Amino acid sequence: MLNTRQKVLRKFWYATVPTAALGEGPQAFKLLGENIVLFEGPDGKPAALQDRCCHRTAKLSKGASQNGNIACGYHGWEYNSAGKLVAIPQFPPEQPLPDARVPAYHAADRYGYVWVALEEPLRPIPEIPEEGAPGYRRIHQFYDKWNTSALRLMENSFDNAHFSFVHKGTFGDTERPRPEKYEITETDYGFDAQTIVRIVNPPHAVRVTGTAEPYTTRDMHNKWYLPFSRRLDITYPSGLRHIIFNCATPIDDGSIQVVQLLYRNDTEEQCSAQELIDWDAAIIAEDKDALESTDPDAIVDLSRKIEMHMPSDRPGIIMRKQLLELLKQHGEIEVPR
Ligand code: FES
Ligand SMILES: [Fe+2]
């Protein structure tokens, strides 16, 4: 699926840059092939505009934030958070300004990231109940560019059949290549998928899982949020919860920004943020290596038997079905070969 050709994808929220980065000035980002600039708008709230000055097209991200507006670095023309031109320093005060603007987008600060929707969003930003909840902490794990597509990361996130192969260096159980069954419930935001998986528990994972047994289990409640977010809620027998939230933000048709947050119901003393980052970094590096070797133009085609590696209730098939319905509803069937 070539994301930049599916216009309906512009109507969803995506995590873009860490909110704290806006304190350093305007930030450039590419979302669904569109160059955008993010900056601190009024009251410190994030704002997002097309990264192109309507004077001589200079990139606004090379300019400066000031008083909730953004000033172009070329001649200082200033725009507010709605994209309206509000000042031309070359004009005398009495000269009226032309009615000019650059396109503005929806922007919101959530979970430490600036989320952007290029058009009126169809769905809200996914809720994470553990955000700010007593007993939980949030850890920013990863913010990396991958050369793959958002759909590839989503389908991989629900693909239990790769654990024994891709993750044999971390938690994958090579003795059990046959994946456990997923129980899937379709929802208005995508689906919920549940399964229990036995995993290898090496000594350096003991503080992550809360058990010293050589094997343990992951009780996984995995949610897919159409189109490219997911929440993986893992409960270990120790009672520890390891809740991963990902947004696979489509930069263009061949690359994504991978945002990964982690919520845990333990303390820094029980398992440090760095230990948790190191553990998941080893896992995610294995996924990255596999996904970057795939064709990023993931195919939306229900007739192919591509999910034969999964026993039943195949998440990849349901994901494609829902995406296809979404594209049909919006009259945008550009289904690739
Ligand atoms: S190009 Fe932006 S002010 Fe001239
Ligand atoms: Fe994986």
Side-chain angles (χ1 to χ4, degrees):
M1 183 171 70
L2 294 171
N3 293 324
T4 58
R5 295 198 203 161
Q6 316 295 345
K7 299 299 180 214
V8 69
L9 297 178
R10 297 167 61 87
K11 299 180 181 180
F12 290 90
W13 290 102
Y14 304 98
T16 60
V17 302
T19 309
L22 301 192
E24 293 157 22
Q27 301 292 315
F29 194 85
K30 186 180 276 190
L31 178 60
L32 286 164
E34 190 136 330
N35 289 317
I36 65 176
V37 57
L38 303 148
F39 63 99
E40 270 183 3
D43 305 322
K45 294 206 171 98
L49 302 179
Q50 193 176 71
D51 196 7
R52 186 174 187 271
C53 181
C54 66
H55 180 220
R56 284 209 190 141
T57 78
K59 284 203 183 327
L60 291 172
S61 53
K62 290 184 169 296
S65 311
Q66 50 192 45
N67 306 321
N69 295 335
I70 186 166
C72 180
Y74 197 175
H75 310 93
W77 289 25
E78 196 174 319
Y79 302 88
N80 68 14
S81 60
K84 182 173 169 46
L85 179 65
V86 292
I88 294 182
Q90 293 79 19
F91 278 17
E94 65 280 8
Q95 186 171 345
L97 295 171
D99 182 19
R101 60 179 59 241
V102 294
Y105 310 112
H106 302 266
D109 178 17
R110 194 73 67 83
Y111 315 131
Y113 280 87
V114 180
W115 291 68
V116 174
L118 296 176
E119 294 179 23
E120 186 66 32
L122 296 173
R123 306 273 164 81
I125 297 170
E127 281 300 323
I128 304 179
E130 292 74 20
E131 172 74 19
Y136 283 88
R137 55 185 170 137
R138 183 221 291 152
I139 295 160
H140 283 260
Q141 283 193 304
F142 309 113
Y143 180 70
D144 290 324
K145 185 177 174 185
W146 289 18
N147 293 318
T148 189
S149 74
L151 183 54
R152 284 285 184 228
L153 182 57
M154 287 297 105
E155 64 186 4
N156 180 70
S157 300
F158 294 87
D159 173 3
N160 284 0
H162 78 281
F163 294 170
S164 307
F165 301 91
V166 169
H167 296 303
K168 56 181 181 287
T170 51
F171 69 92
D173 184 353
T174 53
E175 294 167 13
R176 297 194 177 189
R178 295 178 63 187
E180 300 295 337
K181 187 176 184 300
Y182 255 128
E183 297 294 338
I184 297 186
T185 310
E186 292 193 59
T187 65
D188 58 349
Y189 52 79
F191 59 68
D192 290 0
Q194 285 186 46
T195 189
I196 297 177
V197 175
R198 188 178 88 151
I199 61 163
V200 172
N201 189 43
H204 60 286
V206 165
R207 279 160 58 91
V208 176
T209 60
T211 176
E213 299 294 323
Y215 293 91
T216 187
T217 55
R218 284 177 164 189
D219 187 348
M220 309 205 311
H221 290 232
N222 209 353
K223 290 182 193 293
W224 175 53
Y225 297 94
L226 193 76
F228 304 135
S229 291
R230 73 103 179 214
R231 167 199 166 95
L232 172 57
D233 179 350
I234 297 169
T235 303
Y236 291 109
S238 62
L240 281 177
R241 286 176 76 195
H242 192 95
I243 302 164
I244 288 170
F245 184 89
N246 290 111
C247 186
T249 300
I251 293 171
D252 51 29
D253 290 327
S255 61
I256 59 175
Q257 190 72 42
V258 177
V259 172
Q260 182 160 313
L261 306 172
L262 175 67
Y263 292 82
R264 292 269 299 190
N265 61 341
D266 61 353
T267 63
E268 182 71 14
E269 290 68 41
Q270 285 171 280
C271 192
S272 71
Q274 194 57 54
E275 285 173 90
L276 292 161
I277 289 170
D278 290 347
W279 173 245
D280 278 334
I283 294 171
I284 207 169
E286 294 170 329
D287 287 307
K288 184 179 184 186
D289 192 47
L291 291 185
E292 288 195 334
S293 76
T294 66
D295 174 357
D297 183 7
I299 288 170
V300 181
D301 180 349
L302 302 181
S303 64
R304 294 181 75 219
K305 302 285 185 236
I306 50 177
E307 298 293 308
M308 288 174 67
H309 57 299
M310 299 289 277
S312 60
D313 270 5
R314 296 164 180 166
I317 291 285
I318 299 174
M319 200 175 278
R320 283 171 171 72
K321 184 193 77 174
Q322 290 202 14
L323 275 166
L324 204 52
E325 281 168 7
L326 179 76
L327 300 182
K328 277 181 187 162
Q329 272 169 21
H330 293 269
E332 294 174 359
I333 303 291
E334 174 135 5
V335 182
R337 301 80 55 201

